[in-house]
Short mmCIF file of all heavy atoms in Angstrom, two decimals:
data_model
loop_
_atom_site.label_atom_id
_atom_site.label_comp_id
_atom_site.label_asym_id
_atom_site.label_seq_id
_atom_site.Cartn_x
_atom_site.Cartn_y
_atom_site.Cartn_z
N MET A 1 83.47 36.84 31.11
CA MET A 1 82.14 37.23 31.52
C MET A 1 82.17 38.74 31.31
O MET A 1 83.18 39.47 31.72
CB MET A 1 81.87 36.94 32.97
CG MET A 1 80.70 37.68 33.45
SD MET A 1 80.03 37.27 35.20
CE MET A 1 81.63 37.39 36.10
N LYS A 2 81.12 39.36 30.89
CA LYS A 2 81.03 40.74 30.70
C LYS A 2 80.06 41.29 31.84
O LYS A 2 79.03 40.64 32.10
CB LYS A 2 80.30 41.16 29.31
CG LYS A 2 81.31 40.82 28.15
CD LYS A 2 80.69 41.37 26.85
CE LYS A 2 81.66 41.10 25.76
NZ LYS A 2 81.19 41.66 24.54
N VAL A 3 80.49 42.41 32.42
CA VAL A 3 79.62 43.08 33.40
C VAL A 3 79.28 44.34 32.95
O VAL A 3 80.05 45.12 32.40
CB VAL A 3 80.44 43.31 34.70
CG1 VAL A 3 79.74 43.99 35.69
CG2 VAL A 3 80.98 41.90 35.32
N GLN A 4 77.94 44.56 32.91
CA GLN A 4 77.48 45.97 32.54
C GLN A 4 77.62 46.98 33.56
O GLN A 4 77.36 46.71 34.71
CB GLN A 4 75.99 45.78 32.12
CG GLN A 4 75.65 44.88 30.95
CD GLN A 4 74.18 44.89 30.60
OE1 GLN A 4 73.32 45.55 31.20
NE2 GLN A 4 73.86 44.05 29.58
N ILE A 5 78.15 48.12 33.10
CA ILE A 5 78.51 49.20 34.06
C ILE A 5 77.78 50.46 33.61
O ILE A 5 77.74 50.77 32.38
CB ILE A 5 79.88 49.53 34.14
CG1 ILE A 5 80.69 48.30 34.72
CG2 ILE A 5 80.20 50.68 35.01
CD1 ILE A 5 82.23 48.42 34.65
N LYS A 6 77.06 51.22 34.55
CA LYS A 6 76.49 52.39 34.18
C LYS A 6 76.91 53.46 35.29
O LYS A 6 76.99 53.19 36.44
CB LYS A 6 74.91 52.35 34.32
CG LYS A 6 74.23 53.53 34.13
CD LYS A 6 72.73 53.50 34.23
CE LYS A 6 71.98 54.78 34.09
NZ LYS A 6 70.50 54.75 34.30
N ARG A 7 77.32 54.53 34.77
CA ARG A 7 77.82 55.62 35.70
C ARG A 7 76.64 56.54 36.13
O ARG A 7 75.77 56.74 35.33
CB ARG A 7 78.88 56.56 34.98
CG ARG A 7 80.18 55.88 34.82
CD ARG A 7 81.21 56.89 34.40
NE ARG A 7 81.79 56.47 33.23
CZ ARG A 7 82.72 57.20 32.50
NH1 ARG A 7 83.04 58.26 32.85
NH2 ARG A 7 83.16 56.66 31.34
N LYS A 8 76.79 56.95 37.37
CA LYS A 8 75.79 57.97 37.80
C LYS A 8 75.92 59.19 37.07
O LYS A 8 76.96 59.44 36.61
CB LYS A 8 75.99 58.21 39.31
CG LYS A 8 75.55 57.10 40.26
CD LYS A 8 75.98 57.25 41.70
CE LYS A 8 75.67 58.58 42.31
NZ LYS A 8 75.92 58.70 43.74
N ASP A 9 74.76 59.87 36.89
CA ASP A 9 74.79 61.02 36.03
C ASP A 9 75.85 62.06 36.37
O ASP A 9 76.49 62.72 35.54
CB ASP A 9 73.37 61.73 36.03
CG ASP A 9 72.46 60.92 35.15
OD1 ASP A 9 72.81 60.07 34.24
OD2 ASP A 9 71.21 61.15 35.39
N ASP A 10 76.01 62.24 37.65
CA ASP A 10 77.00 63.31 38.18
C ASP A 10 78.35 62.71 38.42
O ASP A 10 79.16 63.41 38.95
CB ASP A 10 76.43 64.05 39.43
CG ASP A 10 76.32 63.03 40.63
OD1 ASP A 10 76.26 61.83 40.33
OD2 ASP A 10 76.32 63.51 41.77
N CYS A 11 78.69 61.57 37.79
CA CYS A 11 79.94 60.93 37.97
C CYS A 11 80.64 60.64 36.68
O CYS A 11 81.55 59.71 36.61
CB CYS A 11 79.88 59.65 38.84
SG CYS A 11 79.35 59.97 40.51
N LYS A 12 80.27 61.22 35.67
CA LYS A 12 80.80 60.97 34.37
C LYS A 12 82.28 61.22 34.24
O LYS A 12 82.98 60.69 33.33
CB LYS A 12 80.14 61.74 33.26
CG LYS A 12 78.58 61.52 33.17
CD LYS A 12 78.28 60.13 32.70
CE LYS A 12 76.82 60.14 32.56
NZ LYS A 12 76.27 58.70 32.20
N TYR A 13 82.82 62.00 35.19
CA TYR A 13 84.28 62.33 35.23
C TYR A 13 85.17 61.22 35.82
O TYR A 13 86.31 61.17 35.60
CB TYR A 13 84.51 63.66 36.02
CG TYR A 13 84.15 63.46 37.56
CD1 TYR A 13 85.05 63.06 38.39
CD2 TYR A 13 82.85 63.66 37.99
CE1 TYR A 13 84.76 62.89 39.82
CE2 TYR A 13 82.48 63.41 39.31
CZ TYR A 13 83.57 63.09 40.11
OH TYR A 13 83.08 62.85 41.49
N LEU A 14 84.55 60.25 36.52
CA LEU A 14 85.32 59.14 37.15
C LEU A 14 85.59 58.20 35.99
O LEU A 14 84.77 57.87 35.20
CB LEU A 14 84.48 58.46 38.27
CG LEU A 14 84.26 59.25 39.48
CD1 LEU A 14 83.35 58.40 40.36
CD2 LEU A 14 85.54 59.54 40.19
N PRO A 15 86.78 57.64 36.10
CA PRO A 15 87.18 56.55 35.09
C PRO A 15 86.40 55.31 35.20
O PRO A 15 85.96 55.00 36.39
CB PRO A 15 88.64 56.30 35.48
CG PRO A 15 89.08 57.41 36.28
CD PRO A 15 87.96 58.02 37.01
N VAL A 16 86.18 54.63 34.12
CA VAL A 16 85.50 53.36 34.20
C VAL A 16 86.37 52.39 34.88
O VAL A 16 87.57 52.26 34.58
CB VAL A 16 85.08 52.89 32.74
CG1 VAL A 16 84.53 51.43 32.79
CG2 VAL A 16 84.13 53.94 32.15
N PRO A 17 85.95 51.54 35.68
CA PRO A 17 86.84 50.49 36.45
C PRO A 17 87.41 49.56 35.34
O PRO A 17 86.82 49.21 34.35
CB PRO A 17 85.82 49.63 37.22
CG PRO A 17 84.58 50.51 37.47
CD PRO A 17 84.44 51.42 36.22
N LYS A 18 88.68 49.31 35.53
CA LYS A 18 89.44 48.45 34.57
C LYS A 18 90.53 47.68 35.31
O LYS A 18 90.92 48.11 36.39
CB LYS A 18 90.06 49.25 33.45
CG LYS A 18 91.08 50.25 33.86
CD LYS A 18 91.68 51.05 32.70
CE LYS A 18 92.72 51.93 33.22
NZ LYS A 18 93.56 52.57 32.13
N TYR A 19 91.02 46.68 34.75
CA TYR A 19 92.20 45.85 35.27
C TYR A 19 93.48 46.67 35.02
O TYR A 19 93.62 47.17 33.92
CB TYR A 19 92.22 44.51 34.53
CG TYR A 19 91.10 43.61 34.95
CD1 TYR A 19 89.99 43.42 34.04
CD2 TYR A 19 91.09 42.88 36.06
CE1 TYR A 19 88.96 42.63 34.33
CE2 TYR A 19 90.03 42.05 36.40
CZ TYR A 19 88.93 41.93 35.59
OH TYR A 19 87.90 41.09 35.85
N SER A 20 94.32 46.81 36.07
CA SER A 20 95.57 47.45 35.89
C SER A 20 96.61 46.71 35.19
O SER A 20 97.43 47.22 34.49
CB SER A 20 96.05 47.88 37.23
OG SER A 20 95.16 48.88 37.80
N THR A 21 96.58 45.36 35.32
CA THR A 21 97.63 44.54 34.81
C THR A 21 96.96 43.24 34.26
O THR A 21 95.84 42.93 34.63
CB THR A 21 98.73 44.15 35.79
OG1 THR A 21 98.17 43.44 36.85
CG2 THR A 21 99.44 45.36 36.32
N GLY A 22 97.62 42.57 33.39
CA GLY A 22 97.09 41.33 32.89
C GLY A 22 96.80 40.24 33.93
O GLY A 22 95.91 39.51 33.81
N GLY A 23 97.48 40.21 35.01
CA GLY A 23 97.26 39.27 36.05
C GLY A 23 96.37 39.73 37.31
O GLY A 23 96.29 39.03 38.21
N SER A 24 95.79 40.89 37.09
CA SER A 24 94.92 41.35 38.12
C SER A 24 93.63 40.41 38.52
O SER A 24 93.12 39.96 37.42
CB SER A 24 94.40 42.77 37.79
OG SER A 24 95.44 43.72 37.71
N SER A 25 93.39 40.33 39.63
CA SER A 25 92.19 39.57 40.01
C SER A 25 90.85 40.46 40.11
O SER A 25 89.83 39.98 40.33
CB SER A 25 92.37 38.76 41.26
OG SER A 25 92.75 39.56 42.37
N GLY A 26 91.12 41.74 40.21
CA GLY A 26 90.01 42.60 40.27
C GLY A 26 90.37 43.98 39.67
O GLY A 26 91.44 44.14 39.13
N VAL A 27 89.34 44.87 39.62
CA VAL A 27 89.50 46.09 38.97
C VAL A 27 89.66 47.28 40.00
O VAL A 27 89.22 47.10 41.15
CB VAL A 27 88.30 46.50 38.05
CG1 VAL A 27 88.16 45.43 36.91
CG2 VAL A 27 86.99 46.50 38.80
N ASP A 28 90.10 48.43 39.58
CA ASP A 28 90.28 49.51 40.40
C ASP A 28 89.05 50.36 40.45
O ASP A 28 88.49 50.61 39.35
CB ASP A 28 91.46 50.38 40.10
CG ASP A 28 92.76 49.64 40.30
OD1 ASP A 28 92.97 48.87 41.29
OD2 ASP A 28 93.73 50.04 39.58
N LEU A 29 88.51 50.74 41.58
CA LEU A 29 87.34 51.57 41.57
C LEU A 29 87.70 52.95 42.23
O LEU A 29 88.76 53.09 42.80
CB LEU A 29 86.25 51.08 42.75
CG LEU A 29 85.70 49.67 42.28
CD1 LEU A 29 84.81 49.18 43.49
CD2 LEU A 29 84.85 49.83 41.02
N TYR A 30 86.91 53.98 41.94
CA TYR A 30 87.16 55.30 42.42
C TYR A 30 85.94 55.80 43.33
O TYR A 30 84.93 55.37 43.13
CB TYR A 30 87.38 56.26 41.20
CG TYR A 30 88.62 55.85 40.36
CD1 TYR A 30 88.45 54.89 39.35
CD2 TYR A 30 89.80 56.44 40.55
CE1 TYR A 30 89.50 54.47 38.68
CE2 TYR A 30 90.80 56.07 39.80
CZ TYR A 30 90.75 55.12 38.91
OH TYR A 30 91.93 54.74 38.14
N ALA A 31 86.44 56.63 44.27
CA ALA A 31 85.37 57.12 45.18
C ALA A 31 84.61 58.38 44.60
O ALA A 31 85.27 59.30 44.09
CB ALA A 31 86.03 57.59 46.49
N ASP A 32 83.32 58.29 44.69
CA ASP A 32 82.58 59.35 44.41
C ASP A 32 82.41 60.36 45.54
O ASP A 32 81.48 60.41 46.25
CB ASP A 32 81.14 58.90 44.02
CG ASP A 32 80.12 59.95 43.70
OD1 ASP A 32 80.45 61.10 43.40
OD2 ASP A 32 78.87 59.72 43.93
N VAL A 33 83.44 61.16 45.76
CA VAL A 33 83.46 62.21 46.83
C VAL A 33 83.85 63.51 46.27
O VAL A 33 84.70 63.68 45.33
CB VAL A 33 84.57 61.80 48.00
CG1 VAL A 33 84.07 60.51 48.66
CG2 VAL A 33 85.94 61.63 47.42
N LYS A 34 83.23 64.58 46.72
CA LYS A 34 83.38 65.90 46.20
C LYS A 34 84.36 66.68 47.11
O LYS A 34 84.85 67.78 46.81
CB LYS A 34 82.02 66.70 46.26
CG LYS A 34 80.95 65.88 45.52
CD LYS A 34 81.25 65.75 43.99
CE LYS A 34 80.07 65.15 43.20
NZ LYS A 34 80.26 63.83 42.76
N GLU A 35 84.61 66.21 48.36
CA GLU A 35 85.41 66.87 49.27
C GLU A 35 86.33 65.87 49.99
O GLU A 35 85.95 64.67 50.03
CB GLU A 35 84.73 67.79 50.20
CG GLU A 35 83.75 67.11 50.99
CD GLU A 35 82.69 67.89 51.63
OE1 GLU A 35 82.29 68.93 50.90
OE2 GLU A 35 82.16 67.59 52.73
N GLU A 36 87.33 66.24 50.65
CA GLU A 36 88.17 65.26 51.40
C GLU A 36 87.35 64.60 52.43
O GLU A 36 86.52 65.20 53.20
CB GLU A 36 89.27 66.01 52.08
CG GLU A 36 90.33 64.96 52.79
CD GLU A 36 91.48 65.80 53.38
OE1 GLU A 36 92.08 66.64 52.73
OE2 GLU A 36 91.86 65.47 54.53
N THR A 37 87.51 63.26 52.53
CA THR A 37 86.76 62.45 53.54
C THR A 37 87.77 61.64 54.35
O THR A 37 88.60 60.98 53.73
CB THR A 37 85.70 61.42 52.80
OG1 THR A 37 84.83 62.17 52.02
CG2 THR A 37 84.96 60.58 53.76
N VAL A 38 87.70 61.74 55.66
CA VAL A 38 88.60 61.10 56.48
C VAL A 38 87.91 60.04 57.33
O VAL A 38 86.78 60.37 57.92
CB VAL A 38 89.29 62.08 57.53
CG1 VAL A 38 90.29 61.36 58.45
CG2 VAL A 38 90.11 63.08 56.62
N LEU A 39 88.20 58.85 57.35
CA LEU A 39 87.75 57.85 58.22
C LEU A 39 88.57 57.55 59.35
O LEU A 39 89.84 57.22 59.16
CB LEU A 39 87.43 56.58 57.49
CG LEU A 39 86.53 56.57 56.20
CD1 LEU A 39 86.41 55.28 55.52
CD2 LEU A 39 85.11 57.09 56.71
N SER A 40 88.20 57.53 60.55
CA SER A 40 88.95 57.20 61.72
C SER A 40 89.07 55.67 61.80
O SER A 40 88.28 54.95 61.21
CB SER A 40 88.26 57.71 63.00
OG SER A 40 88.09 59.15 62.91
N SER A 41 90.02 55.22 62.49
CA SER A 41 90.25 53.76 62.65
C SER A 41 89.02 53.11 63.22
O SER A 41 88.41 53.55 64.24
CB SER A 41 91.44 53.61 63.59
OG SER A 41 91.66 52.09 63.83
N GLY A 42 88.48 52.09 62.47
CA GLY A 42 87.29 51.36 63.00
C GLY A 42 85.98 52.03 62.54
O GLY A 42 84.93 51.40 62.64
N GLN A 43 86.11 53.22 61.95
CA GLN A 43 84.88 53.79 61.51
C GLN A 43 84.45 53.25 60.17
O GLN A 43 85.18 52.89 59.33
CB GLN A 43 85.13 55.36 61.22
CG GLN A 43 83.87 56.15 60.82
CD GLN A 43 84.24 57.66 60.61
OE1 GLN A 43 85.32 58.07 60.70
NE2 GLN A 43 83.07 58.37 60.28
N ILE A 44 83.00 53.14 60.11
CA ILE A 44 82.39 52.62 58.92
C ILE A 44 81.59 53.73 58.26
O ILE A 44 80.78 54.41 58.92
CB ILE A 44 81.50 51.44 59.20
CG1 ILE A 44 82.35 50.33 59.83
CG2 ILE A 44 80.73 50.93 58.03
CD1 ILE A 44 81.56 49.17 60.34
N LYS A 45 81.68 53.88 56.91
CA LYS A 45 80.94 54.96 56.27
C LYS A 45 80.70 54.41 54.83
O LYS A 45 81.56 53.85 54.23
CB LYS A 45 81.72 56.24 56.24
CG LYS A 45 80.98 57.44 55.66
CD LYS A 45 81.75 58.65 55.74
CE LYS A 45 80.93 59.80 55.12
NZ LYS A 45 81.62 61.10 55.32
N LEU A 46 79.46 54.72 54.29
CA LEU A 46 79.15 54.28 52.93
C LEU A 46 79.77 55.32 51.98
O LEU A 46 79.53 56.54 52.09
CB LEU A 46 77.58 54.20 52.82
CG LEU A 46 77.10 53.82 51.49
CD1 LEU A 46 77.55 52.45 51.08
CD2 LEU A 46 75.53 53.95 51.34
N ILE A 47 80.57 54.84 51.02
CA ILE A 47 81.16 55.78 50.09
C ILE A 47 80.84 55.23 48.70
O ILE A 47 81.13 54.00 48.32
CB ILE A 47 82.70 55.76 50.21
CG1 ILE A 47 83.23 56.13 51.50
CG2 ILE A 47 83.39 56.65 49.11
CD1 ILE A 47 82.99 57.59 51.91
N SER A 48 80.11 56.10 47.96
CA SER A 48 79.75 55.66 46.54
C SER A 48 80.90 55.54 45.63
O SER A 48 81.88 56.20 45.71
CB SER A 48 78.72 56.67 46.00
OG SER A 48 78.45 56.49 44.59
N THR A 49 80.74 54.55 44.68
CA THR A 49 81.75 54.38 43.61
C THR A 49 81.31 55.15 42.42
O THR A 49 82.12 55.20 41.47
CB THR A 49 82.01 52.99 43.33
OG1 THR A 49 80.80 52.33 42.84
CG2 THR A 49 82.51 52.17 44.46
N GLY A 50 80.12 55.64 42.40
CA GLY A 50 79.66 56.46 41.22
C GLY A 50 79.22 55.50 40.07
O GLY A 50 78.87 55.96 39.06
N ILE A 51 78.99 54.13 40.28
CA ILE A 51 78.68 53.22 39.26
C ILE A 51 77.63 52.34 39.82
O ILE A 51 77.41 52.10 40.98
CB ILE A 51 79.82 52.47 38.68
CG1 ILE A 51 80.36 51.53 39.73
CG2 ILE A 51 80.89 53.31 38.06
CD1 ILE A 51 81.40 50.52 39.30
N TYR A 52 76.89 51.74 38.77
CA TYR A 52 75.95 50.68 39.01
C TYR A 52 76.39 49.51 38.14
O TYR A 52 76.88 49.74 37.10
CB TYR A 52 74.52 51.06 38.64
CG TYR A 52 73.96 52.30 39.19
CD1 TYR A 52 73.97 53.52 38.53
CD2 TYR A 52 73.45 52.29 40.39
CE1 TYR A 52 73.51 54.62 39.03
CE2 TYR A 52 72.98 53.51 41.09
CZ TYR A 52 72.92 54.66 40.28
OH TYR A 52 72.47 55.84 40.87
N ILE A 53 76.33 48.33 38.63
CA ILE A 53 76.71 47.14 37.88
C ILE A 53 75.68 46.18 37.71
O ILE A 53 74.82 46.09 38.65
CB ILE A 53 77.99 46.46 38.55
CG1 ILE A 53 77.81 45.94 39.87
CG2 ILE A 53 79.23 47.46 38.43
CD1 ILE A 53 78.95 45.09 40.37
N SER A 54 75.62 45.41 36.73
CA SER A 54 74.71 44.36 36.51
C SER A 54 75.45 43.07 36.43
O SER A 54 76.18 42.87 35.45
CB SER A 54 73.83 44.58 35.18
OG SER A 54 72.95 43.50 34.95
N LEU A 55 75.28 42.15 37.31
CA LEU A 55 76.02 40.87 37.33
C LEU A 55 74.96 39.70 36.93
O LEU A 55 73.77 39.77 37.31
CB LEU A 55 76.51 40.49 38.73
CG LEU A 55 77.59 41.47 39.32
CD1 LEU A 55 77.92 41.06 40.67
CD2 LEU A 55 78.81 41.38 38.38
N PRO A 56 75.43 38.65 36.26
CA PRO A 56 74.67 37.52 35.96
C PRO A 56 74.21 36.90 37.33
O PRO A 56 74.90 36.94 38.27
CB PRO A 56 75.55 36.56 35.24
CG PRO A 56 76.70 37.40 34.65
CD PRO A 56 76.89 38.55 35.65
N ARG A 57 73.07 36.18 37.23
CA ARG A 57 72.55 35.51 38.39
C ARG A 57 73.56 34.52 38.87
O ARG A 57 74.27 33.79 38.01
CB ARG A 57 71.20 34.74 37.97
CG ARG A 57 70.48 34.16 39.11
CD ARG A 57 69.27 33.37 38.68
NE ARG A 57 68.29 34.44 38.23
CZ ARG A 57 67.36 34.91 38.99
NH1 ARG A 57 67.20 34.44 40.31
NH2 ARG A 57 66.44 35.81 38.69
N GLY A 58 73.73 34.33 40.18
CA GLY A 58 74.71 33.40 40.72
C GLY A 58 76.13 34.06 40.98
O GLY A 58 76.95 33.27 41.41
N TYR A 59 76.32 35.26 40.65
CA TYR A 59 77.63 35.93 40.84
C TYR A 59 77.53 36.95 41.90
O TYR A 59 76.42 37.49 42.14
CB TYR A 59 78.15 36.50 39.50
CG TYR A 59 78.67 35.46 38.58
CD1 TYR A 59 77.76 34.74 37.75
CD2 TYR A 59 80.05 35.14 38.51
CE1 TYR A 59 78.25 33.78 36.80
CE2 TYR A 59 80.44 34.16 37.65
CZ TYR A 59 79.62 33.46 36.79
OH TYR A 59 79.93 32.48 35.89
N GLU A 60 78.66 37.34 42.35
CA GLU A 60 78.66 38.51 43.45
C GLU A 60 79.76 39.40 43.19
O GLU A 60 80.80 39.00 42.41
CB GLU A 60 78.68 37.92 44.80
CG GLU A 60 80.11 37.35 45.18
CD GLU A 60 80.24 36.98 46.51
OE1 GLU A 60 79.31 36.43 47.13
OE2 GLU A 60 81.33 37.24 47.25
N ALA A 61 79.88 40.54 43.60
CA ALA A 61 80.95 41.47 43.44
C ALA A 61 81.43 41.83 44.88
O ALA A 61 80.50 41.97 45.82
CB ALA A 61 80.50 42.74 42.81
N GLN A 62 82.71 42.07 45.11
CA GLN A 62 83.18 42.34 46.46
C GLN A 62 84.07 43.58 46.29
O GLN A 62 84.85 43.68 45.24
CB GLN A 62 84.02 41.11 46.98
CG GLN A 62 83.17 39.89 47.24
CD GLN A 62 84.15 38.87 47.78
OE1 GLN A 62 85.08 39.08 48.31
NE2 GLN A 62 83.59 37.59 47.85
N ILE A 63 84.09 44.42 47.34
CA ILE A 63 85.03 45.56 47.30
C ILE A 63 85.98 45.36 48.45
O ILE A 63 85.54 45.03 49.74
CB ILE A 63 84.21 46.91 47.58
CG1 ILE A 63 83.31 47.08 46.37
CG2 ILE A 63 85.24 48.02 47.71
CD1 ILE A 63 82.45 48.25 46.42
N ARG A 64 87.23 45.36 48.13
CA ARG A 64 88.30 45.19 49.24
C ARG A 64 89.29 46.30 49.25
O ARG A 64 89.60 46.87 48.23
CB ARG A 64 88.98 43.81 48.89
CG ARG A 64 88.12 42.75 48.90
CD ARG A 64 88.88 41.41 48.67
NE ARG A 64 87.91 40.23 48.40
CZ ARG A 64 88.30 39.01 48.59
NH1 ARG A 64 89.55 38.72 48.55
NH2 ARG A 64 87.44 38.11 48.36
N PRO A 65 89.86 46.55 50.39
CA PRO A 65 90.91 47.67 50.36
C PRO A 65 92.10 47.05 49.71
O PRO A 65 92.34 45.92 49.64
CB PRO A 65 91.16 47.79 51.92
CG PRO A 65 90.68 46.50 52.55
CD PRO A 65 89.63 46.07 51.72
N ARG A 66 92.91 47.95 49.10
CA ARG A 66 94.23 47.58 48.49
C ARG A 66 95.03 47.00 49.56
O ARG A 66 95.15 47.48 50.75
CB ARG A 66 94.79 48.83 47.84
CG ARG A 66 94.13 49.28 46.61
CD ARG A 66 94.79 50.47 46.01
NE ARG A 66 96.05 50.44 45.95
CZ ARG A 66 96.91 51.48 45.64
NH1 ARG A 66 96.32 52.74 45.46
NH2 ARG A 66 98.16 51.42 45.62
N SER A 67 95.76 45.96 49.32
CA SER A 67 96.50 45.15 50.19
C SER A 67 97.51 46.09 50.91
O SER A 67 97.72 46.03 52.10
CB SER A 67 97.17 44.01 49.67
OG SER A 67 97.96 44.39 48.58
N GLY A 68 98.21 46.89 50.15
CA GLY A 68 99.26 47.78 50.77
C GLY A 68 98.57 48.84 51.84
O GLY A 68 99.17 49.01 52.85
N LEU A 69 97.47 49.42 51.40
CA LEU A 69 96.83 50.32 52.38
C LEU A 69 96.27 49.64 53.54
O LEU A 69 96.38 50.11 54.72
CB LEU A 69 95.74 50.99 51.72
CG LEU A 69 96.04 52.02 50.46
CD1 LEU A 69 94.92 52.58 49.76
CD2 LEU A 69 96.94 53.11 51.19
N ALA A 70 95.77 48.35 53.37
CA ALA A 70 95.14 47.70 54.48
C ALA A 70 96.27 47.22 55.53
O ALA A 70 96.08 47.33 56.69
CB ALA A 70 94.44 46.44 54.03
N LEU A 71 97.37 46.79 54.99
CA LEU A 71 98.52 46.42 55.80
C LEU A 71 99.04 47.64 56.63
O LEU A 71 99.29 47.48 57.76
CB LEU A 71 99.69 45.86 54.90
CG LEU A 71 100.91 45.43 55.71
CD1 LEU A 71 100.51 44.33 56.70
CD2 LEU A 71 101.94 44.98 54.79
N LYS A 72 99.09 48.80 55.99
CA LYS A 72 99.60 49.99 56.71
C LYS A 72 98.56 50.62 57.63
O LYS A 72 98.94 51.21 58.65
CB LYS A 72 100.02 51.07 55.63
CG LYS A 72 101.23 50.62 54.85
CD LYS A 72 101.61 51.68 53.79
CE LYS A 72 102.59 51.12 52.84
NZ LYS A 72 102.81 52.06 51.66
N HIS A 73 97.33 50.63 57.22
CA HIS A 73 96.32 51.42 58.06
C HIS A 73 95.14 50.55 58.61
O HIS A 73 94.34 51.15 59.26
CB HIS A 73 95.74 52.50 57.05
CG HIS A 73 96.78 53.37 56.51
ND1 HIS A 73 97.44 54.23 57.20
CD2 HIS A 73 97.29 53.41 55.25
CE1 HIS A 73 98.32 54.85 56.45
NE2 HIS A 73 98.24 54.42 55.20
N GLY A 74 94.96 49.33 58.35
CA GLY A 74 93.94 48.52 58.87
C GLY A 74 92.68 48.57 58.04
O GLY A 74 92.64 49.22 57.00
#
C-alpha cells in the first residue's frame, strides 16, 4: 500500500518517514520542535510530526513510543 505524505512548509528539513529495516512494522517519525521540549511523567502534549498523510478509506495510522524508551521511561 502506498501512503501519500506531505511535509509542512516549515518542516522541509525533517527526514521523510521510512522503514529502518526490512522487518520493521512501522516507520520512524521525527518531532517538529524548534527547542528542547520536556514532558513530565504522565504529562500529555501535542507534538507535531511535521507531516500530513493520506490513508485509504478503512485504514488507520498509529503513533507509538519506541519500545526501549517506553520500557525505560513509561
